[in-house]
Coordinates of all heavy atoms in Angstrom, one line a residue:
L86 N 69.0 11.8 82.8 CA 68.7 10.3 82.9 C 67.2 10.1 83.0 O 66.7 9.1 82.4 CB 69.4 9.8 84.1 CG 71.0 9.7 84.0 CD1 71.6 9.3 85.3 CD2 71.4 8.9 82.9
K87 N 66.5 11.0 83.7 CA 65.0 10.8 83.8 C 64.4 10.8 82.5 O 63.4 10.0 82.1 CB 64.5 11.8 84.8 CG 63.0 11.6 85.0 CD 62.4 12.6 86.0 CE 60.9 12.4 86.2 NZ 60.4 13.4 87.2
N88 N 64.9 11.8 81.7 CA 64.2 12.0 80.3 C 64.7 10.9 79.4 O 63.9 10.4 78.6 CB 64.6 13.3 79.8 CG 63.7 13.8 78.7 OD1 62.5 13.6 78.9 ND2 64.2 14.4 77.7
D89 N 65.9 10.4 79.7 CA 66.4 9.3 78.7 C 65.6 8.0 79.0 O 65.3 7.3 78.1 CB 67.9 9.1 79.0 CG 68.5 8.8 77.6 OD1 68.3 9.6 76.7 OD2 69.2 7.7 77.5
R90 N 65.2 7.7 80.3 CA 64.4 6.6 80.6 C 63.0 6.7 79.8 O 62.5 5.7 79.3 CB 64.2 6.4 82.0 CG 65.4 6.0 82.7 CD 65.2 5.6 84.2 NE 64.7 6.7 85.0 CZ 65.6 7.5 85.7 NH1 66.9 7.3 85.7 NH2 65.1 8.5 86.4
L91 N 62.5 7.9 79.9 CA 61.2 8.1 79.1 C 61.4 7.9 77.6 O 60.5 7.2 77.0 CB 60.8 9.6 79.3 CG 59.4 10.0 78.8 CD1 58.3 9.2 79.5 CD2 59.2 11.5 79.0
I92 N 62.4 8.4 77.0 CA 62.6 8.2 75.6 C 62.8 6.7 75.3 O 62.3 6.2 74.3 CB 63.8 8.9 75.1 CG1 63.5 10.5 75.2 CG2 64.3 8.6 73.7 CD1 64.8 11.4 75.0
E93 N 63.5 6.0 76.1 CA 63.7 4.5 75.9 C 62.4 3.8 75.9 O 62.2 2.9 75.2 CB 64.7 4.0 77.0 CG 66.1 4.4 76.8 CD 66.9 3.7 75.7 OE1 66.2 2.9 75.0 OE2 68.0 4.1 75.4
S94 N 61.5 4.3 76.8 CA 60.2 3.6 76.9 C 59.4 3.9 75.6 O 58.6 3.0 75.2 CB 59.4 4.2 78.1 OG 58.9 5.5 77.9
F95 N 59.6 5.0 74.9 CA 58.9 5.3 73.7 C 59.4 4.4 72.6 O 58.6 3.8 71.8 CB 59.1 6.8 73.3 CG 58.5 7.8 74.2 CD1 59.0 9.1 74.3 CD2 57.4 7.5 74.9 CE1 58.5 10.0 75.1 CE2 56.8 8.5 75.8 CZ 57.4 9.7 75.8
Y96 N 60.7 4.2 72.5 CA 61.3 3.2 71.6 C 60.8 1.9 71.8 O 60.6 1.1 70.9 CB 62.8 3.4 71.6 CG 63.3 4.4 70.6 CD1 63.6 5.7 71.1 CD2 63.5 4.3 69.2 CE1 64.0 6.7 70.3 CE2 63.9 5.3 68.4 CZ 64.2 6.5 68.9 OH 64.6 7.5 68.1
K97 N 60.7 1.5 73.1 CA 60.3 0.1 73.4 C 58.9 -0.1 72.9 O 58.5 -1.1 72.4 CB 60.4 -0.2 74.9 CG 60.0 -1.6 75.3 CD 60.3 -1.8 76.8 CE 59.9 -3.2 77.2 NZ 60.1 -3.4 78.7
K98 N 58.0 0.9 73.2 CA 56.6 0.9 72.8 C 56.5 0.8 71.3 O 55.6 0.2 70.7 CB 55.8 2.0 73.3 CG 54.3 1.9 73.1 CD 53.6 3.0 73.9 CE 52.1 2.8 73.7 NZ 51.3 3.9 74.5
A99 N 57.3 1.5 70.6 CA 57.3 1.6 69.2 C 57.8 0.2 68.5 O 57.6 0.0 67.4 CB 58.1 2.7 68.6
G100 N 58.6 -0.5 69.4 CA 59.2 -1.7 68.8 C 60.3 -1.5 67.8 O 60.6 -2.3 66.9
I101 N 61.0 -0.3 68.0 CA 62.1 0.1 67.1 C 63.4 0.4 68.0 O 63.3 1.0 69.0 CB 61.7 1.3 66.4 CG1 60.6 0.9 65.3 CG2 63.0 1.8 65.5 CD1 60.0 2.1 64.6
K102 N 64.5 -0.1 67.5 CA 65.8 0.2 68.2 C 66.2 1.6 68.0 O 66.1 2.2 66.9 CB 66.9 -0.7 67.6 CG 68.3 -0.6 68.3 CD 69.3 -1.5 67.6 CE 70.6 -1.3 68.2 NZ 71.7 -2.1 67.7
R103 N 66.6 2.2 69.2 CA 67.0 3.6 69.1 C 68.3 3.7 68.3 O 69.3 3.1 68.6 CB 67.2 4.1 70.5 CG 67.4 5.5 70.7 CD 67.5 5.8 72.2 NE 67.7 7.3 72.4 CZ 67.9 7.7 73.7 NH1 67.8 7.0 74.7 NH2 68.0 9.1 73.9
P104 N 68.3 4.5 67.3 CA 69.6 4.6 66.4 C 70.8 5.2 67.0 O 71.9 4.7 66.7 CB 69.1 5.4 65.2 CG 67.9 6.2 65.6 CD 67.2 5.4 66.7
F105 N 70.6 6.2 67.8 CA 71.7 6.8 68.5 C 71.2 7.8 69.6 O 69.9 8.1 69.5 CB 72.7 7.5 67.6 CG 72.1 8.8 66.9 CD1 72.1 10.0 67.4 CD2 71.4 8.6 65.6 CE1 71.6 11.1 66.7 CE2 70.9 9.6 64.9 CZ 71.0 11.0 65.5
K106 N 71.9 8.2 70.5 CA 71.5 9.1 71.6 C 72.1 10.5 71.3 O 73.2 10.7 71.2 CB 72.0 8.5 72.9 CG 71.3 7.2 73.3 CD 71.9 6.6 74.6 CE 71.7 7.5 75.8 NZ 72.1 6.8 77.1
A107 N 71.1 11.4 71.3 CA 71.5 12.9 71.1 C 70.9 13.7 72.3 O 69.8 13.4 72.8 CB 71.0 13.4 69.8
F108 N 71.7 14.7 72.7 CA 71.2 15.6 73.8 C 71.4 17.0 73.4 O 72.5 17.5 72.8 CB 72.0 15.3 75.0 CG 71.5 16.2 76.2 CD1 70.4 16.0 76.9 CD2 72.3 17.4 76.5 CE1 69.9 16.8 77.9 CE2 71.8 18.2 77.6 CZ 70.7 18.0 78.2
R109 N 70.4 17.8 73.6 CA 70.5 19.3 73.4 C 70.2 20.0 74.8 O 69.1 19.8 75.4 CB 69.6 19.7 72.3 CG 69.5 21.3 72.2 CD 68.7 21.7 71.0 NE 69.5 21.6 69.8 CZ 69.0 21.6 68.6 NH1 67.7 21.6 68.3 NH2 69.9 21.6 67.5
F110 N 71.0 20.9 75.2 CA 70.7 21.7 76.4 C 69.7 22.7 76.1 O 69.7 23.4 75.1 CB 72.1 22.5 76.8 CG 73.1 21.6 77.4 CD1 74.2 21.2 76.5 CD2 73.1 21.2 78.7 CE1 75.2 20.4 77.1 CE2 74.1 20.5 79.2 CZ 75.1 20.0 78.4
P111 N 68.7 22.8 77.0 CA 67.7 23.9 76.9 C 68.4 25.2 76.8 O 69.3 25.5 77.5 CB 66.8 23.7 78.1 CG 67.0 22.3 78.5 CD 68.4 21.9 78.1
Y112 N 67.8 26.0 75.9 CA 68.4 27.5 75.7 C 69.9 27.4 75.2 O 70.4 28.5 75.2 CB 68.3 28.3 77.0 CG 66.9 28.1 77.8 CD1 66.9 27.4 78.9 CD2 65.8 28.6 77.3 CE1 65.7 27.2 79.6 CE2 64.6 28.4 78.0 CZ 64.6 27.7 79.1 OH 63.4 27.5 79.8
G113 N 70.4 26.3 74.9 CA 71.8 26.3 74.5 C 72.7 26.5 75.7 O 73.9 26.8 75.5
D114 N 72.1 26.4 76.9 CA 72.9 26.6 78.1 C 73.7 25.3 78.5 O 73.0 24.4 79.1 CB 72.0 27.1 79.2 CG 72.6 27.2 80.6 OD1 73.8 27.0 80.7 OD2 71.9 27.6 81.5
C115 N 74.9 25.3 78.3 CA 75.7 24.1 78.4 C 76.2 23.8 79.9 O 77.1 23.0 80.1 CB 76.9 24.0 77.5 SG 76.4 24.0 75.7
G116 N 75.8 24.7 80.8 CA 76.1 24.4 82.2 C 77.3 25.3 82.7 O 77.6 25.1 83.9
S117 N 77.7 26.3 81.9 CA 78.8 27.1 82.4 C 80.0 26.4 83.0 O 80.6 25.7 82.4 CB 78.2 28.1 83.3 OG 79.1 29.2 83.6
A118 N 80.2 26.5 84.4 CA 81.2 26.0 85.0 C 81.2 24.4 85.0 O 82.3 23.8 85.2 CB 81.3 26.4 86.5
L119 N 80.0 23.9 84.8 CA 79.9 22.4 84.7 C 80.0 21.9 83.3 O 79.9 20.7 83.1 CB 78.5 22.0 85.2 CG 78.2 22.2 86.7 CD1 76.8 21.8 87.1 CD2 79.3 21.5 87.6
E120 N 80.3 22.7 82.3 CA 80.2 22.3 80.9 C 81.1 21.1 80.6 O 80.7 20.1 80.0 CB 80.6 23.5 80.0 CG 80.6 23.1 78.5 CD 80.8 24.3 77.6 OE1 80.9 25.5 78.1 OE2 80.7 24.1 76.4
D121 N 82.4 21.2 81.0 CA 83.3 20.1 80.7 C 82.8 18.8 81.4 O 82.9 17.7 80.9 CB 84.7 20.4 81.1 CG 85.3 21.5 80.2 OD1 84.8 21.6 79.1 OD2 86.3 22.1 80.5
S122 N 82.5 18.9 82.6 CA 82.0 17.7 83.4 C 80.7 17.2 82.8 O 80.6 15.9 82.7 CB 81.7 18.1 84.9 OG 82.9 18.5 85.5
L123 N 79.8 18.0 82.3 CA 78.6 17.5 81.7 C 78.9 16.8 80.4 O 78.3 15.8 80.0 CB 77.6 18.7 81.6 CG 76.9 19.1 82.7 CD1 76.1 20.4 82.6 CD2 75.9 18.0 83.2
D124 N 79.8 17.4 79.6 CA 80.2 16.8 78.4 C 80.8 15.4 78.6 O 80.5 14.5 77.8 CB 81.2 17.6 77.6 CG 81.3 17.3 76.2 OD1 80.4 17.4 75.4 OD2 82.4 16.7 75.8
D125 N 81.7 15.3 79.6 CA 82.3 14.0 80.0 C 81.1 13.0 80.3 O 81.1 11.8 79.9 CB 83.2 14.1 81.1 CG 84.5 14.7 80.7 OD1 84.8 14.7 79.5 OD2 85.2 15.1 81.6
F126 N 80.1 13.5 81.1 CA 79.0 12.7 81.4 C 78.2 12.2 80.2 O 77.8 11.0 80.1 CB 78.0 13.5 82.4 CG 76.8 12.7 82.8 CD1 76.8 11.6 83.6 CD2 75.6 13.1 82.2 CE1 75.6 10.9 83.9 CE2 74.4 12.4 82.5 CZ 74.4 11.3 83.4
L127 N 77.9 13.1 79.3 CA 77.2 12.8 78.1 C 77.9 11.7 77.3 O 77.4 10.8 76.8 CB 77.0 14.1 77.2 CG 76.0 15.0 77.8 CD1 76.0 16.3 76.9 CD2 74.6 14.5 77.9
K128 N 79.2 11.9 77.2 CA 80.1 10.9 76.5 C 80.0 9.6 77.1 O 79.9 8.6 76.4 CB 81.6 11.4 76.5 CG 82.6 10.5 75.7 CD 83.9 11.0 75.8 CE 84.9 10.0 75.1 NZ 86.3 10.5 75.2
N129 N 80.1 9.5 78.4 CA 80.0 8.3 79.1 C 78.7 7.6 79.0 O 78.6 6.3 79.1 CB 80.4 8.4 80.6 CG 81.9 8.8 80.8 OD1 82.7 8.5 79.9 ND2 82.2 9.5 81.8
Q130 N 77.7 8.4 78.8 CA 76.3 7.8 78.7 C 76.0 7.5 77.2 O 74.9 7.0 77.0 CB 75.3 8.9 79.1 CG 75.3 9.1 80.7 CD 74.9 7.8 81.4 OE1 73.9 7.1 81.1 NE2 75.6 7.5 82.5
G131 N 77.0 7.6 76.3 CA 76.8 7.2 75.0 C 76.1 8.3 74.1 O 75.6 7.9 72.9
F132 N 76.1 9.5 74.5 CA 75.5 10.5 73.7 C 76.5 11.0 72.6 O 77.7 11.0 72.8 CB 75.1 11.8 74.5 CG 73.8 11.5 75.3 CD1 73.9 11.1 76.6 CD2 72.6 11.7 74.7 CE1 72.8 10.9 77.4 CE2 71.4 11.4 75.5 CZ 71.5 11.0 76.8
T133 N 76.0 11.4 71.4 CA 76.8 11.7 70.3 C 76.4 13.0 69.6 O 75.2 13.3 69.6 CB 76.9 10.6 69.3 OG1 77.6 10.9 68.1 CG2 75.5 10.2 68.9
P134 N 77.3 13.8 69.1 CA 76.9 14.9 68.2 C 76.5 14.3 66.9 O 76.7 13.2 66.6 CB 78.2 15.7 68.1 CG 79.3 14.7 68.2 CD 78.8 13.7 69.2
L135 N 75.9 15.2 66.1 CA 75.6 14.8 64.7 C 76.8 14.7 63.9 O 77.7 15.5 64.0 CB 74.6 15.8 64.1 CG 73.2 15.8 64.7 CD1 72.4 17.0 64.2 CD2 72.5 14.5 64.3

Side-chain angles (χ1 to χ4, degrees):
L86 293 176
K87 182 177 183 179
N88 205 38
D89 220 53
R90 290 191 293 270
L91 184 63
I92 293 168
E93 289 288 355
S94 74
F95 295 151
Y96 273 96
K97 183 176 181 180
K98 189 172 181 180
I101 294 173
K102 181 180 178 181
R103 191 175 179 181
F105 64 93
K106 295 173 64 172
F108 179 79
R109 171 173 280 161
F110 288 98
Y112 316 108
D114 175 359
C115 299
S117 189
L119 295 177
E120 181 173 357
D121 289 342
S122 296
L123 283 169
D124 193 71
D125 287 341
F126 174 74
L127 292 173
K128 179 181 179 181
N129 291 335
Q130 290 294 315
F132 287 93
T133 174
L135 288 167

